[in-house]
Amino acid sequence: MSHDSSNSPRSKRLQLISDYGCTRSSKCRKPCSRSAETVSTRREAEPVRADVKGTQHLSGPGRAGLTGGPAAGRAAARAGAMAKLLSCVLGPRLYKIYRERDSERAPSSVPGTPTSVTNPHSSSWDTYYQPRALEKHADSILALASVFWSISYYSSPFAFFYLYRKGYLSLSKVVPFSHYAGTLLLLLAGVACLRGIGRWTNPQYRQFITILEATHRNHSAENKRQLANYNFDFRSWPVDFHWEEPSSRKESRGGPSRRGVALLRPEPLHRGTADTFLNRVKKLPCQITSYLVAHTLGRRMLYPGSVYLLQKALMPVLLQGQARLVEECHGRRAKLLACDGNEIDTMFVDRRGTAEPQGQKLVICCEGNAGFYEVGCVSTPLEAGYSVLGWNHPGFAGSTGVPFPQNEANAMDVVVQFAIHRLGFQPEDIILYAWSIGGFTATWAAMSYPDISAVILDASFDDLVPLALKVMPDSWRGLVTRTVRQHLNLNNAEQLCRYQGPVLLIRRTRDEIITTTVPEDIMSNRGNDLLLKFLQHRYPRVMAEEGLRVVRQWLEASSQLEEASIYSRWEVEEDWCLSVLRSYQAEHGPEFPWSVGEDMSADGRRQLALFLAQKHLNNFEATHCTPLPAQNFQMPWHL
C-alpha cells in the first residue's frame, strides 16, 4: 500500500514555512504581515535570481561586463580620490576667497560645485579661507624652510669662503653633509604630503582645485569668473594674454622678437678708439666685473622690491591691498606673457560704465623700485575717477623674472598691447603715469607708442648714473658708470625727448631719494635736470643762455611765494606766450623740436622759457614716498 508523503501534516507545515516564512500550523487562518512581506520580497527577488542563473553559462568578456560593474566603479572612485589628493599635494597655496558681488553670482559651470562655495557672501568662513590645522602647521614649516633657504642663498658666497678657510670643503666632510641635506629634503617632502592631506580634507580647497583644473582645461569666461574669486599663488594662474596674440604682431617683422623689444643703446665711453681684438681682451676683466656687480648687488640695490625676504614681509599688506582692489573697486586680475617668457601680474579697474567722463580714459601706472600695484600709485588715479591698469615689475609679487631694463621694457610692451587689443582702449585714450623709477618704462612706452595721449612723471629723474654715484664710494666711479651704462641704463630723459605728446613733471620739494646732496637742496633734485633736458630738446632757441638762466632761478624757489615773485619779476604775459606758440604751430606744424624764439629778444625768450617751465612742472610739498593726492593728479598742458 503506497503512502503519499505530500499530504502528511509535516509536509504541509514545511510547505507553509517555505512559501510564507511562517511556522504556524495549517489550521491558522489569521492574517500575517510577516508572511505578506516575505511573499512580496520573494516575488520581487525571483526575476533577479533568474537573471543571475541565466548568466551562469556565460564566460569571458560577457560575464565580466555584467558582474564587474560595481567593482570597476569603486576602482574609478579610488583613482579619482588619489588624483584629487595628488592635486592637493602639488596645488598652489590658497590665500583668500573674495566676497562675490551679487551681480556676478551665477550657477557654477564646474560639476559638483556647492552653492555655498560658488557664492561666498554670508559668513566669514565663506569669505576668508580657513586652512585646517594640518595644512596650517605644514605651511608654516615650509614657509620657514623657504626663508632659511633664501637667507642661505644670499649668504652663500660668505659661507663658502668661511668653509673653505676652515677646511670643511673636503670630500670626507662633504659626503656626510649631503646625507644630512638629503634627509632634510625627505622630511620636507613628507611635510608637503601632510599639507596635501590637510587640503584634501578641506572642502573649500577641494572646490578651489576643481575650479582651477577646469579653467586650465577650458578657458571659458565662466570658469575664469569663478577662478577670480580666489587669491592664490599666481604661478598657477592661467595665462590670459600672450604677447603674440595681436594679429599685427604675427604679420609684422619689425615688432619685438623673443630676445626683447628695442632699447636705446648708450654711446661708447671712449669715442674714436678702434674696437680691435686686443682692446676687447683688455676690456674683458672690467666687463666681467660689471656683469657680476649688476647681477648680484646692483640689481637688488636698484630694485629692492624684487628681494624675496622683503616680499615675504610685505605679503599681508599686499593681500589686503589686492582684496581692496577686487572687492571694493571691482578689479580684474590677469596674467600676461611677455616676449622674454616672463609672466606679468596685472590688475584692471574699469570705470567706463560710470557717469564720470574721465572713466573713458585708461591710466597705466608704473610703480617705483619697491612699489607694487596692490599698495602703490594706482590709488591716485582711482580716486580721481579714471580707469586704471596696474602691473608689477618682473620679479615683484606675482610677476616672474628679474627687473633689468630689457625685461622692464618687454613687460611694458605686453601691458600696452593688452590695454589696446584686449581691454579695447585706443592709444589716444591711454595716459602713462609713473612714480620714481617707473619713469623708465613710462618714457619707453611713450617713445615706442607715439599716439599715447599723455605722460605724467612723479618724482622721477633724468639719468641713473648721478644717483648711483651718490651712494657708492668715489673710488668706484669708473666701475659704477660702466656697470650702469652696460646693464642698468635708465635713460629717462633721452627716451622722453623722443615723445611728441603732452608731458607733466611733478617735483617733490623735500625729496630725499632723487637728490644728489641733501633733501633741503632743491637744486640737486634730478627732476630739475629732467625738465631742463626736455625743454632744451623741444625749444632749443628759447632755452638758450637767457632762458636757461631764468628757469634755473625759478627752479631754485623753495616755496610758491618765491615762484610767483620770480614769475612776476619778469612780467610774464601768458596771452602773448600762447599767441606766439600757436602762431608757430599753425605755420610749422606740431613736430618737435621747434625753432621758435630764434628772432626774439632776450626778454621775450625769458618770458617764454618761464611760461613753458611753469606749464610742464608742478611742485608738491612732500617727501619721495608720500602718496600723491587725487587733486594733484592733473592732465598735462597742451596747445
Side-chain angles (χ1 to χ4, degrees):
M1 184 171 105
S2 65
H3 179 72
D4 188 1
S5 61
S6 63
N7 295 326
S8 64
R10 178 179 175 84
S11 300
K12 291 181 178 180
R13 184 177 178 83
L14 292 174
Q15 184 66 28
L16 286 171
I17 293 173
S18 63
D19 290 343
Y20 300 104
C22 182
T23 57
R24 297 178 181 181
S25 63
S26 60
K27 297 179 181 180
C28 178
R29 295 293 183 264
K30 294 181 180 180
C32 181
S33 59
R34 180 181 175 186
S35 301
E37 289 180 1
T38 307
V39 171
S40 176
T41 304
R42 287 170 60 86
R43 288 176 179 175
E44 290 177 359
E46 283 177 359
V48 177
R49 287 202 303 268
D51 291 342
V52 174
K53 288 181 180 179
T55 61
Q56 290 179 356
H57 68 280
L58 295 176
S59 62
R63 182 173 183 179
L66 289 173
T67 60
R74 288 191 296 271
R78 286 194 297 268
M82 292 302 297
K84 184 66 66 177
L85 177 60
L86 182 62
S87 298
C88 292
V89 172
L90 302 178
R93 184 177 181 182
L94 179 59
Y95 299 115
K96 184 175 180 180
I97 303 176
Y98 295 125
R99 292 191 299 267
E100 191 172 11
R101 296 175 289 278
D102 293 337
S103 60
E104 293 187 357
R105 290 181 194 138
S108 171
S109 65
V110 180
T113 305
T115 307
S116 61
V117 177
T118 56
N119 297 329
H121 62 279
S122 56
S123 65
S124 60
W125 190 87
D126 287 333
T127 302
Y128 302 98
Y129 176 63
Q130 300 292 333
R132 300 290 174 87
L134 187 59
E135 179 187 357
K136 183 177 180 180
H137 296 314
D139 257 332
S140 301
I141 295 173
L142 294 176
L144 185 62
S146 177
V147 170
F148 280 136
W149 168 255
S150 181
I151 294 174
S152 62
Y153 172 78
Y154 291 123
S155 61
S156 58
F158 306 101
F160 275 111
F161 180 75
Y162 175 80
L163 294 175
Y164 176 77
R165 293 292 301 270
K166 293 293 184 179
Y168 291 145
L169 294 182
S170 61
L171 186 62
S172 60
K173 295 184 178 180
V174 169
V175 172
F177 176 77
S178 64
H179 292 165
Y180 296 144
T183 304
L184 181 61
L185 290 176
L186 289 176
L187 290 175
L188 292 177
V191 172
C193 293
L194 292 177
R195 181 182 64 176
I197 295 173
R199 292 172 172 176
W200 187 62
T201 60
N202 193 327
Q204 282 188 315
Y205 192 90
R206 288 204 312 271
Q207 183 55 44
F208 155 70
I209 203 68
T210 300
I211 294 175
L212 179 61
E213 291 174 346
T215 307
H216 278 288
R217 289 192 301 268
N218 181 14
H219 294 277
S220 66
E222 176 61 22
N223 286 343
K224 288 184 178 181
R225 186 195 65 80
Q226 293 188 37
L227 189 64
N229 290 329
Y230 298 91
N231 188 357
F232 56 96
D233 190 343
F234 201 63
R235 289 174 293 185
S236 299
W237 189 285
V239 174
D240 297 290
F241 184 82
H242 194 279
W243 69 283
E244 285 185 326
E245 186 170 322
S247 57
S248 59
R249 289 294 180 92
K250 298 177 182 179
E251 298 171 359
S252 175
R253 295 184 179 180
S257 64
R258 293 191 180 275
R259 294 192 301 176
V261 297
L263 292 179
L264 297 180
R265 298 300 174 186
E267 296 182 358
L269 295 178
H270 304 287
R271 289 186 173 183
T273 57
D275 191 17
T276 62
F277 177 75
L278 183 60
N279 287 334
R280 292 183 180 181
V281 172
K282 291 180 179 179
K283 295 177 183 177
L284 187 60
C286 296
Q287 292 176 350
I288 294 176
T289 305
S290 297
Y291 179 87
L292 294 176
V293 170
H295 286 75
T296 54
L297 181 65
R299 189 258 297 178
R300 291 171 176 85
M301 288 183 63
L302 187 59
Y303 290 94
S306 64
V307 177
Y308 172 77
L309 293 178
L310 179 61
Q311 296 184 30
K312 196 72 176 177
L314 293 175
M315 182 61 71
V317 180
L318 298 181
L319 293 177
Q320 184 179 2
Q322 195 168 102
R324 181 185 66 86
L325 291 173
V326 172
E327 296 177 346
E328 299 179 11
C329 302
H330 311 317
R332 299 203 303 266
R333 200 177 185 187
K335 177 187 282 189
L336 317 182
L337 185 64
C339 59
D340 52 10
N342 288 336
E343 297 171 347
I344 307 304
D345 184 6
T346 66
M347 180 68 71
F348 171 57
V349 179
D350 195 355
R351 296 283 178 81
R352 285 175 289 188
T354 62
E356 299 176 350
Q358 58 266 36
Q360 304 300 318
K361 297 285 186 178
L362 175 68
V363 177
I364 299 180
C365 298
C366 304
E367 300 290 344
N369 62 352
F372 304 81
Y373 72 71
E374 292 88 343
V375 291
C377 63
V378 297
S379 60
T380 298
L382 275 179
E383 293 176 6
Y386 291 88
S387 297
V388 174
L389 177 60
W391 61 282
N392 281 329
H393 298 282
F396 283 51
S399 298
T400 62
V402 289
F404 282 103
Q406 184 65 65
N407 298 344
E408 289 276 294
N410 296 339
M412 188 64 190
D413 179 68
V414 75
V415 168
V416 176
Q417 289 292 320
F418 175 70
I420 297 173
H421 295 281
R422 177 62 61 85
L423 301 182
F425 287 92
Q426 296 299 318
E428 296 80 9
D429 297 325
I430 296 177
I431 301 162
L432 301 174
Y433 171 50
W435 173 61
S436 188
I437 209 171
F440 171 75
T441 50
T443 55
W444 179 89
M447 173 186 69
S448 304
Y449 295 88
D451 294 332
I452 291 288
S453 175
V455 176
I456 303 174
L457 302 180
D458 179 15
S460 195
F461 52 89
D462 62 324
D463 188 51
L464 182 61
V465 171
L467 298 175
L469 293 174
K470 162 192 168 182
V471 298
M472 302 303 290
D474 290 338
S475 58
W476 292 23
R477 175 176 292 270
L479 176 63
V480 170
T481 304
R482 185 182 302 107
T483 301
V484 170
R485 286 287 178 250
Q486 293 181 356
H487 304 283
L488 304 168
N489 190 34
L490 305 184
N491 49 348
N492 297 349
E494 186 180 4
Q495 293 182 153
L496 185 63
C497 291
R498 305 290 182 99
Y499 175 61
Q500 298 286 325
V503 174
L504 175 64
L505 307 181
I506 301 175
R507 183 181 64 165
R508 310 291 183 102
T509 58
R510 299 195 305 271
D511 201 311
E512 73 281 12
I513 302 297
I514 64 170
T515 51
T516 54
T517 55
V518 292
E520 292 75 17
D521 184 10
I522 196 171
M523 279 309 293
S524 68
N525 190 311
R526 297 304 299 187
N528 301 331
D529 300 86
L530 180 59
L531 174 69
L532 293 175
K533 292 178 180 179
F534 174 73
L535 293 180
Q536 285 177 318
H537 170 76
R538 288 196 169 187
Y539 311 98
R541 299 292 185 268
V542 173
M543 294 300 294
E545 185 177 354
E546 301 87 357
L548 184 61
R549 187 183 303 112
V550 74
V551 171
R552 287 186 181 275
Q553 293 177 5
W554 180 78
L555 290 172
E556 288 179 359
S558 58
S559 65
Q560 294 183 355
L561 185 60
E562 292 185 19
E563 289 180 14
S565 175
I566 296 174
Y567 205 73
S568 61
R569 183 194 310 169
W570 296 103
E571 299 178 351
V572 178
E573 298 180 8
E574 294 192 356
D575 293 338
W576 175 79
C577 294
L578 283 173
S579 64
V580 170
L581 294 174
R582 286 170 179 167
S583 299
Y584 182 90
Q585 184 184 45
E587 184 177 354
H588 299 88
E591 193 74 17
F592 293 106
W594 287 5
S595 60
V596 60
E598 188 173 11
D599 300 328
M600 193 177 294
S601 65
D603 288 340
R605 285 196 292 268
R606 292 190 189 97
Q607 288 191 47
L608 206 54
L610 278 176
F611 173 80
L612 292 171
Q614 189 262 346
K615 291 297 183 181
H616 286 91
L617 185 139
N618 288 347
N619 281 325
F620 177 42
E621 300 287 337
T623 58
H624 186 78
C625 297
T626 303
L628 184 71
Q631 61 267 22
N632 291 74
F633 187 80
Q634 303 171 1
M635 288 299 102
W637 170 83
H638 62 91
L639 284 175

